[in-house]
Each structure stands twice: as C-alpha cells, then as structure tokens.
Amino acid sequence: MGTDAAGLGRGRAMAFILPALVLIGVFLVFPALWTVYLGLTDYRLTGLAAAEPRFVGLDNYAAALTDARFGSSLWLTVQFVLGSAVAGQAVLGFAVAWVARGLRTPVRRAVEGLVLLSWILPGSVVAFLWIALLDRDGGTLNALLNTPGTAWLLDHPMLSIIVFNIWRGTAFSMMLYSAALENVPPSHLETARLAGASTACQLGDVVLPRIKGHVLTNLLLISLWTFNDFTPFLLTAGGPEGRSEILPVYVYAIALNGGRLGAGAAVSFLILLINLVFALIYLRLLRARNAPPTAAAPGGRGPV
Amino acid sequence: MRLPRRPATTLGALVTALTLAVTAAGCGGESGGGGAITLTITQNAISGGKNAKGADWIKNWVIPRFEAAKRAAGQNVRVRFQPNGVEDEVYKTKIALDLKSGRGADVIDIDGIWIGELAQAGYLRPLRELAGAAVDTWEGWKQIPPAVQGLGIFEGRKYALPVGTDGRVLYYNKELFARAGLAAQWQPGSWREVIDAARALKRLPGVTPLQINAGTAMGEATTMQGVLPLLAGTGTEIYSGGKWTGGTGALRDVLGFYREVYSGGLGDPRIQQEAQGRDKSFLEFAEGEIGILAEGDYFWRSVVDPVVGVNPMKNRDRVVGYALIPAARPGAGLRGQDFVSMSGGSARVLNPRSRYPALAWELLSFMHSAAAVEAELGGEARVTARTDVNDKVLGRDPMLSFVAEKVLPVTAYRPPLAVYPEVSAALQEATAAVVSGRSPEEAAAAYHHRLTELVGASAITPA
C-alpha cells in the first residue's frame, strides 16, 4: 500500500481517525491501565483502605498466583471453555448448520428459530428457566427422569453450567457456519460425491479447507466470550464450595462480595493477559492460513 | 405443586434487579420536574416479596403523609421508594457501590453492622455534620435506650437512627414434635438435648431434623444464626477486650457440634451449599419438612407470618414453637448464662451526597417518629428502637414479648469493626469445611491461619 488512495492527506486522515482513537483511549486503554494501577494497591470497597488505598507493589499478583482458589478457578475456566465453547457450541453449531442445509426451508427456519431463541433471551430469564429445570425438588428434569431429589447443580455443577452454556450459545456458531457453508460451491461437493467420497472425506477435504478461516474466527470469538462469561453465576453462584467458580465469578467474589477491589483488579489483569494469549494464538493460526497457499492437494489426504 | 412459588421468588428477585438497574441508571434521586424536590428512600424490601410489610409501609404511609405534611407547609416535595428484594450481601454491595459513586437514595436502610466500614471508607458522615443542630434536638433520642442507640454509633458519633433490635431463638414444629413423641412445650437445656430431640425427629420420613445455618452461601446468616450463638454457648465472644477468638477449644467445640449435626444425618448439608439455601430452609420449615430451625424473630414476623410472610403458615400460632438457644451445658454460656442469643438490627442513614440534607433528615426523623414506627408495625409487634412504642405494642404478640423479656436480657452484639465481615466470612468457611466432611480441628486451624492474616497474631486471644 503506502499510497494515499483516498487523497486525504495526513492531516485530514488523522482528523477522521481521531474520534475513534479518543473513544478507544477513553473506554479501552484508560480502563485497562487503571486496572493495572488498582491491581498494585490494597484498594477496598469499604473500610479504611477505601478512603486511603496504599501501594502494595506486586503483592496482589503474588497472592493470586499462589492462591489455590485462583488455580482451581483457572482450571475450571479451561474446562468450561473447552467443554462448552470448543467441544460444545462449535461442534453442535456446525452439526446443526450442516444438517439444516438438507432440510426443507420451513423446517430449517423452525430449527434455526428455536436455536436462536435460546440465544436472544435475556440471561436472567434463561437462568431462571434453568433453575426451574434443574431444581432439586420439583425440578422439571427430575420429573422427566423420575429421579426426585437429584441435586444437579450441586452434584454436577460444572456439567450443568457447560450444558447450559452449550444450549445458550450454539446459535452463534450455527449462524456463522450456515453462512460459511454457503461459500462451499455445490459443484465441489457434487464432484466429491460422484467420486464416491464418504461424508467424512467430503467434510475434511472439501468443506473444511473452504471454511477454515470461519472456524478459527468462530473459535476465537466464542472462546473469549465463554472465558469471560458471568451468566453461570446466576445458576450456581460459583458453588458448591467453589466447584463451579470460573474466573469471572472468582473476580466478582473477591472484588465485590469480598470488597477487595485491588486484588480483584490484579486478577482481572491476569485474565486480560490470558485472553491476549488466546487471541494471539488464533491470530497466528489465521495468518498462517492466509500466508502462501500451500498445496491443498485435493484428495491428497486420507479421511480425517 | 411446590415448584411455582420458589421460582416466583427467584423471578421476583431477578425482575427487581433488572428494574433497579434500569431505574438506577435514570435517577440521581434528587431533582424532579415542575420545581418539585424529590427525595428517595431505599431498603431491602419489596411489595409481595422480601420484607413486604416494610415496603408497603413506606409506600402507603410514609410517602403520602410526609408529602402531605410538606404540602401543608407550602413545600412541593416528592418522595420515591426504590425497592430491593435480594440477599443481604448483594444489597450491601449495591449500597456500597451507590455511595462510592456519589449516587443512591437520600435515606438508606442498612444493617447496623455495616456502619463502621462504610464510615471508615468515607461513604457516610455523622448525622449532625449533614443536617446540623436539628439532629440534637430531635424528640426521639430520649425514647431510644443507649444500648440500641449504639447500633447507629461508630467511634462515638451518631451516623444512623436505629430501626430496632432482634433476637435469635430455636423455632420448632410442634406437629412434627408430637409425631416424634416429643413434648409440645420444649426448652432444651444443653446442646445434648437439642441433638437428642433431632435424633428423635430423624425417625420421621422426609423430615430434616435440625437446620443450623452453615457455609458461605448463607453469608452472615451462618454467623448470626449459627456460629456466634453456639460460641456464646461456650462462654466465648468473637471479640472481647480488644482481641479476636482464634481456633481455640471453644471454636473447635462449635465446629464439633456442626459435625455432629451434618455428618450424623441430622441436618441437610445440601441446603448449605445451594445458592438460594436460606430461602429454601424457610420454605421447608413452612411446609413442615424441618423440625428445628435456628433463626431470628425476622423469621416469625416476615417469613411464616400468616398474612404478610414470604412463606405464610396459616397455622403459625398453633404449630410453630420457639425456645431459647441453650448454652453447651447449663451455666456454660456467656456471663455464666444458661441461655444465649445474638442481636443486631437495621438502621437508617443519610446519604452524604443528598442535595437536600436538611429535608432528608426531616424525612428520616419523620420515619422514626412514634406514629410512624407504630404504623410500620401495622398492628403486629416487634422490638422497635423506641421505648414508648414498645410499651404499647409488645403485649400483642407472645413471640415478640418473649424476645423482649427472655431473649434480649441474655443476648450479645457483634463488634462494629470494619474487619468483622471478613472474620465472619472466615467463620463461614470453617463451617462449610466441616459440613463438607473436614474435621473440626482442620477447619479451626485453617480459620486461625486466616484470622492471623486478617488481624495479626497479636490481636488474637491466646489459646
């Protein structure tokens, strides 16, 4: 590039960009820096340290990194992201999109509508529905399975919130993959089918190379969203005994319930760093894909 | 059909939260249209839900009468009520955030124990600084006993008007007692006798014999209804003579009692873990599924009350019995008592950022006038802050006279210190550990370690 295609000149180009930069500075960069600063203090919601916070250096970070609760919380978050976003939403979303292609339009619309419904309902309403579903006595699931008294949210807290989040978030992956599948020329699929390729081969060799960018983008977005999702708090409040305390809930517990805003800011910054690592890995993968078009020799590989 | 009611409560709370989020965004709580001055009152109360009676009193009594009085004096004042219906900890967080950001209602109802930490943070200021000499000349002060005034005092200065005080007892279901072959008039004299009654109740199918709050999900309810009365029953206060009680013998005894209840199948360990566990314990007691429940008089007034209760019991007066909480053994309690209790109470403060502090004080003191306090009771009895009202009303309700005559003389109060909530949380964690199977010794040691981090080794009573 390097040329001034729009013919604006440096000054006017800057004038156009400036409002956006100011917005980003005020609403993104400044809060991030403020979080870093708060993380270095013993700032609290109430009490003396709320009026006069002291600078405590890296104490909050050291405390978080040596806190067993942070470690277990991080591990639970990884389970939550892998289970509900990567394995759940992405796979199920693709499956629904792939199957829906073959359905008649009204049926397809109905399926997509139902999946979308779980996505567009407000989180608090959805949480209420799920509590009614999973409640220990009088819950719908126990009535259906004839297992009265099974406390799903207490016995299987992680499983409950993972299934919940799959149900809740599959719509996004489904829509994205539906759009992506439009990019696969039907002629390619037909050719593959005529050549006798199994469904697995069609998916691996014809569809996947076409939509790889969409898959990566989708995974990036949903893992970041899921990593920072607070809705499971409405189901389990992180309990019992912290067994579903994913990182956003952990931050809430120490910063707002415990009133330790400084410690909460430190953990938030750690979460920010983890998110950055996630994003960098995905971007690297995306770039590798866009780099030189390596020989995607058709039929060169075996079934996936 | 048990399902609809509980989710309805949850839904109510969620709807409240949403409504609040929306209204809070749109209000500074002060300026109204047409030259009117607007004042706002907030409380953890909501019509049809939590503390419904208090919410109705504010809407139907306080607001119209205060507005009318001001109109008569030629002032156009409008008063609004911001309801809440959530767990106390959540309400506290919201109030702290409101005050921190310089927003919030003009008159705020809080738990008296929060005053210390809110004042230290600079979120509250003494009433006199805000509203001037009118505070000193208020007629109500001479009606409020010094001990009760203490609920609104921090470091010698008055920050709040106390609403009243309360006491904790053991509630029991007389029908279940009869079925288990226990006497209808029950007053245990020791922890052993409580356990014995629970063992007898255990024979009834589908009944949880004894509910002593535990765990972190219940928050302060665990400390106030569980740990602290039990600790008082061993003759120990959590804070006395400038020192905190560590993981000593007394605390191990308390945790040992928890283990006996929860590992012996006498209590339901599940309720302690659920996000809405305390509400569930209320519901189960009201439906005759819990034999004995340690709770405050709030439970009698606001939960199982046949008319305004969250879980009304039509036959409350016949079925629900109440007994003093016994010391571990006769004479082993605090000050050598046979019986113990814990008390607290809510109080109302002025928001230092109120645009009309003098008017807000007028509203606050109006809410604490004898007529208002009597109206707040709505024909029921409760231990209010005002002696003149108590003298009139306590005879009406045998339970509340019981609290005033039998419980308050043996009760104790929590230390009004900013670090107390964290000590309380550490105690809750210790009970959670025992309920989920750890030994009392282990849990007490972990508590001691946490306490040392919080207050330093020199501020802990030597074992």
Side-chain angles (χ1 to χ4, degrees):
Chain A
M1 315 292 164
T3 56
D4 186 1
L8 280 171
R10 188 175 288 257
R12 266 178 292 178
M14 282 300 286
F16 271 106
I17 290 178
L18 201 62
L21 283 182
V22 169
L23 281 180
I24 290 175
V26 170
F27 291 107
L28 283 174
V29 179
F30 173 72
L33 291 177
W34 187 244
T35 305
V36 174
Y37 164 72
L38 281 184
L40 299 173
T41 68
D42 68 347
Y43 193 39
R44 295 187 50 100
L45 181 59
T46 61
L48 283 176
E52 292 154 20
R54 283 178 309 128
F55 186 79
V56 295
L58 294 175
D59 285 7
N60 287 328
Y61 291 93
L65 292 174
T66 52
D67 183 4
R69 217 171 131 195
F70 176 76
S72 75
S73 186
L74 180 59
W75 172 231
L76 290 173
T77 314
V78 170
Q79 289 176 27
F80 186 57
V81 170
L82 290 180
S84 71
V86 177
Q89 293 177 10
V91 171
L92 188 62
F94 181 83
V96 174
W98 177 256
V99 171
R101 279 167 63 249
L103 297 174
R104 286 186 300 121
T105 313
V107 183
R108 178 176 167 177
R109 287 278 140 75
V111 170
E112 288 177 347
L114 283 175
V115 177
L116 265 180
L117 197 61
S118 64
W119 196 49
I120 57 175
L121 287 174
S124 48
V125 174
V126 165
F128 162 67
L129 293 175
W130 273 72
I131 288 172
L133 175 72
L134 298 176
D135 190 63
R136 175 152 66 111
D137 23 48
T140 316
L141 187 62
N142 280 340
L144 286 176
L145 300 179
N146 202 18
T147 50
T150 307
W152 298 98
L153 291 171
L154 298 180
D155 292 333
H156 310 286
M158 278 311 287
L159 186 66
S160 297
I161 64 172
I162 285 173
V163 173
F164 163 76
N165 196 44
I166 294 174
W167 176 86
R168 178 123 174 91
T170 296
F172 178 80
S173 299
M174 179 196 74
M175 288 195 302
L176 195 138
Y177 287 134
S178 292
L181 286 173
E182 308 270 315
N183 277 350
V184 182
S187 59
H188 289 197
L189 278 173
E190 248 159 62
T191 316
R193 226 174 288 136
L194 284 176
S198 66
T199 310
C201 287
Q202 289 176 36
L203 284 175
D205 295 334
V206 181
V207 176
L208 197 60
R210 279 271 167 190
I211 65 165
K212 206 165 154 195
H214 301 86
V215 172
L216 284 174
T217 308
N218 181 45
L219 284 178
L220 170 66
L221 289 176
I222 63 175
S223 347
L224 289 180
W225 288 338
T226 307
F227 200 92
N228 299 307
D229 187 19
F230 187 69
T231 323
F233 178 85
L234 300 176
L235 284 192
T236 63
E241 272 97 50
R243 282 193 286 131
S244 62
E245 194 177 66
I246 52 176
L247 281 172
V249 177
Y250 174 71
V251 171
Y252 178 80
I254 58 175
L256 292 178
N257 271 358
R260 293 156 57 206
L261 296 177
V267 177
S268 300
F269 187 66
L270 291 175
I271 293 179
L272 186 70
L273 291 183
I274 296 170
N275 278 331
L276 274 179
V277 172
F278 258 122
L280 282 178
I281 294 174
Y282 280 119
L283 290 177
R284 175 64 56 89
L285 286 172
L286 264 178
R287 200 168 304 145
R289 193 193 67 93
N290 289 334
T294 46
R301 287 181 292 148
V304 182
Chain B
M1 284 308 289
R2 313 178 56 229
L3 184 61
R5 205 181 321 151
R6 191 170 31 247
T9 319
T10 320
L11 186 61
L14 292 171
V15 169
T16 316
L18 281 176
T19 327
L20 281 173
V22 173
T23 49
C27 80
E30 279 102 16
S31 64
I37 292 172
T38 303
L39 292 173
T40 313
I41 306 170
T42 197
Q43 184 174 344
N44 198 0
I46 185 163
S47 292
K50 187 160 185 155
N51 297 323
K53 210 190 278 180
D56 292 341
W57 167 68
I58 291 176
K59 282 201 307 198
N60 303 332
W61 201 94
V62 174
I63 293 180
R65 278 171 203 250
F66 186 76
E67 286 180 350
K70 285 285 114 187
R71 213 174 302 124
Q75 261 183 306
N76 187 4
V77 177
R78 287 189 45 220
V79 182
R80 294 189 333 129
F81 177 55
Q82 263 179 26
N84 299 265
V86 293
E87 295 285 315
D88 292 345
E89 269 69 22
V90 178
Y91 177 70
K92 176 184 171 187
T93 303
K94 174 179 182 284
I95 295 301
L97 289 171
D98 274 356
L99 291 169
K100 176 179 157 52
S101 53
R103 310 293 294 267
D106 299 275
V107 173
I108 306 174
D109 183 290
I110 60 176
D111 189 330
I113 197 72
W114 304 339
I115 292 173
E117 53 182 311
L118 293 176
Q120 283 188 329
Y123 299 159
L124 296 179
R125 288 182 31 217
L127 294 173
R128 198 174 184 296
E129 276 183 28
L130 294 170
V135 173
D136 297 332
T137 54
W138 182 51
E139 55 79 31
W141 291 118
K142 52 185 181 295
Q143 296 295 341
I144 307 178
V148 181
Q149 285 192 22
L151 283 168
I153 293 178
F154 180 68
E155 292 179 342
R157 296 197 286 178
K158 289 171 182 152
Y159 283 84
L161 293 188
V163 174
T165 188
D166 60 3
R168 266 118 202 107
V169 298
L170 294 177
Y171 292 97
Y172 61 97
N173 184 315
K174 290 182 182 173
E175 282 180 352
L176 296 180
F177 266 51
R179 274 169 55 203
L182 294 164
Q185 282 307 320
W186 181 62
Q187 177 54 68
S190 66
W191 290 359
R192 177 61 33 214
E193 288 180 34
V194 175
I195 296 283
D196 287 345
R199 292 233 165 87
L201 287 162
K202 199 185 166 192
R203 291 195 291 270
L204 304 177
V207 169
T208 302
L210 173 61
Q211 164 65 25
I212 302 281
N213 290 347
T216 49
M218 298 245 187
E220 189 61 15
T222 292
T223 325
M224 267 308 251
Q225 265 88 257
V227 181
L228 294 183
L230 289 169
L231 203 57
T234 67
T236 314
E237 277 188 289
I238 187 64
Y239 180 82
S240 90
K243 290 191 188 295
W244 296 88
T245 297
T248 58
L251 189 76
R252 278 204 293 273
D253 290 348
V254 170
L255 295 173
F257 181 81
Y258 270 102
R259 182 172 60 179
E260 196 160 4
V261 172
Y262 286 104
S263 69
L266 300 178
D268 178 357
R270 282 314 170 73
I271 292 185
Q272 323 303 339
Q273 300 174 324
E274 279 169 319
Q276 309 290 337
R278 191 167 172 218
D279 292 343
K280 196 160 217 166
S281 76
F282 292 164
L283 179 71
E284 290 190 4
F285 187 93
E287 298 195 337
E289 293 168 2
I290 288 180
I292 307 166
L293 172 69
E295 266 296 341
D297 57 68
Y298 160 82
F299 178 75
W300 177 268
R301 290 183 280 110
S302 291
V303 179
V304 292
D305 184 284
V307 182
V308 297
V310 181
N311 306 114
M313 288 177 82
K314 294 264 170 296
N315 50 5
R316 177 192 71 176
D317 296 349
R318 193 168 47 75
V319 172
V320 182
Y322 38 87
L324 293 166
I325 302 173
R329 293 172 310 284
L334 213 55
R335 302 175 287 253
Q337 292 164 185
D338 296 337
F339 303 102
V340 293
S341 188
M342 287 301 296
S343 293
S346 58
R348 296 198 183 95
V349 296
L350 293 182
N351 189 334
R353 298 293 189 94
S354 170
R355 291 232 310 255
Y356 313 100
L359 204 56
W361 161 255
E362 278 186 46
L363 174 60
L364 175 64
S365 51
F366 176 77
M367 291 170 78
H368 289 255
S369 64
V373 171
E374 223 182 309
E376 184 175 13
L377 298 174
E380 294 286 314
R382 204 182 70 202
V383 189
T384 74
R386 297 183 65 113
T387 345
D388 50 356
V389 179
N390 287 348
D391 290 345
K392 258 195 198 165
V393 301
L394 283 181
R396 284 181 201 159
D397 184 309
M399 159 67 199
L400 276 308
S401 344
F402 179 78
V403 170
E405 286 159 23
K406 297 278 169 42
V407 178
L408 292 186
V410 298
T411 198
Y413 293 86
R414 292 165 292 180
L417 299 172
V419 74
Y420 167 77
E422 290 187 83
V423 176
S424 173
L427 290 168
Q428 294 157 26
E429 278 163 24
T431 61
V434 171
V435 171
S436 61
R438 303 247 302 278
S439 77
E441 290 71 26
E442 243 182 296
Y447 161 75
H448 198 95
H449 179 71
R450 177 81 187 114
L451 186 66
T452 315
E453 284 178 355
L454 289 173
V455 302
S458 59
I460 298 178
T461 313

